[in-house]
Amino acid sequence: MEKVLKWLRGSHNSVRYRFIDHPRQWVEYVLLFRLRGKTWVDFYAHRLDRPARDTADEPIQEDYLERGRDWFAYIKDHGLQPEHKFLDYGCGVMRIGVPVINYLDPGNYVGLDISPARLARGHRLAAENGISDDRYQTFVVGDCKLLELGDQRFDFVWASSVLNHMPDADILEMLSAMRGHISSTGQFLFQYNMGEKNHRIGIKDFVVTGEKMQRWCEQAGFVFENLP
């Protein structure tokens, strides 16, 4: 019986997700978005907005915020200074944004996100921590072209759990656009799902090899390094 259940769960490790949730998500994506000329960004923004709206009045879990503080310490270890300009790509509810804004000189933080509901929650989190709106900038984006940034250039760019939810074409477009917004000595720190082969898990998780990510980054003009 256990072998049968394991087979039914498949790589998703869930019978319900494999046979109900996963097909339903693909139907929603194809019928409501792709066939109507909408993009992956449109679909994923919609996917992020729904739970953000449903939990808008609930407190953000402390362990989730603590993870943001851990990443802030990691970024500082890689050289972030108060005078640096910082771009939070996929800033979400600003769990990293709050400690970074408090550390940086006023006006040096910019956050981008595709989800208006998550970004609104981030503004509330900042206010709850005594951060006024004039200390930072945020933009809701609808693609990967970064036109909202104008001619701004940054010393640090951070992307936490963003590229692992982006298809190949969107990553390539973003990397190409991002290179022009990083100073000559700047760094772009990001996470991605690295695997032995390129594949997709479910509908929203993309896995690429380290070699492929390195090739993409170098094509865009970056020097690439996998960090611990």
Side-chain angles (χ1 to χ4, degrees):
M1 184 63 180
E2 183 59 35
K3 289 184 178 179
V4 174
L5 285 174
K6 184 177 180 181
W7 178 81
L8 288 172
R9 294 186 188 111
S11 60
H12 303 297
N13 201 31
S14 168
V15 175
R16 176 184 173 83
Y17 185 80
R18 182 181 182 186
F19 293 104
I20 300 176
D21 294 341
H22 188 218
R24 176 183 55 78
Q25 291 168 1
W26 272 104
V27 169
E28 179 183 40
Y29 172 48
V30 172
L31 293 183
L32 299 183
F33 290 87
R34 284 189 67 175
L35 293 181
R36 296 184 178 187
K38 295 184 180 293
T39 66
W40 172 258
V41 173
D42 295 325
F43 169 72
Y44 202 63
H46 173 73
R47 181 188 174 96
L48 292 172
D49 264 344
R50 284 185 298 184
R53 288 194 302 266
D54 292 343
T55 61
D57 297 326
E58 299 176 10
I60 300 173
Q61 294 183 353
E62 180 57 31
D63 60 344
Y64 186 78
L65 297 176
E66 182 62 31
R67 187 61 168 160
R69 292 189 284 268
D70 290 342
W71 284 124
F72 169 56
Y74 181 84
I75 296 165
K76 282 181 64 180
D77 286 344
H78 282 82
L80 182 66
Q81 297 295 319
E83 66 272 16
H84 284 156
K85 287 274 290 184
F86 184 93
L87 175 63
D88 192 355
Y89 185 71
C91 61
V93 300
M94 295 171 60
R95 61 171 173 170
I96 295 170
V98 166
V100 168
I101 294 168
N102 277 326
Y103 174 74
L104 295 178
D105 293 339
N108 280 3
Y109 173 94
V110 176
L112 301 180
D113 205 85
I114 64 174
S115 168
R118 285 173 62 82
L119 197 52
R121 186 65 187 91
H123 278 258
R124 291 198 300 274
L125 181 65
E128 291 163 7
N129 284 269
I131 299 173
S132 59
D133 287 346
D134 60 357
R135 293 203 41 200
Y136 64 95
Q137 281 185 301
T138 61
F139 299 94
V140 176
V141 298
D143 54 39
C144 303
K145 298 176 182 178
L146 305 179
L147 298 178
E148 296 81 3
L149 296 177
D151 60 357
Q152 293 190 78
R153 294 172 72 88
F154 299 89
D155 303 291
F156 269 84
V157 179
W158 169 257
S160 174
S161 297
V162 181
L163 275 71
N164 45 323
H165 300 310
M166 295 172 65
D168 293 6
D170 285 3
I171 293 177
L172 287 166
E173 183 174 56
M174 180 275 294
L175 287 172
S176 178
M178 188 69 77
R179 188 64 190 91
H181 291 287
I182 297 180
S183 68
S184 59
T185 58
Q187 298 183 58
F188 181 13
L189 302 178
F190 62 86
Q191 300 165 311
Y192 71 103
N193 291 327
M194 183 172 65
E196 295 181 355
K197 62 178 181 178
N198 307 307
H199 63 285
R200 190 173 194 159
I201 303 173
I203 193 170
K204 68 181 183 67
D205 295 309
F206 299 85
V207 180
V208 301
T209 64
E211 292 80 6
K212 188 173 186 179
M213 184 61 73
Q214 179 172 353
R215 183 170 68 252
W216 287 346
C217 289
E218 290 176 348
Q219 287 174 353
F222 291 96
V223 175
F224 178 84
E225 179 183 3
N226 274 316
L227 300 174

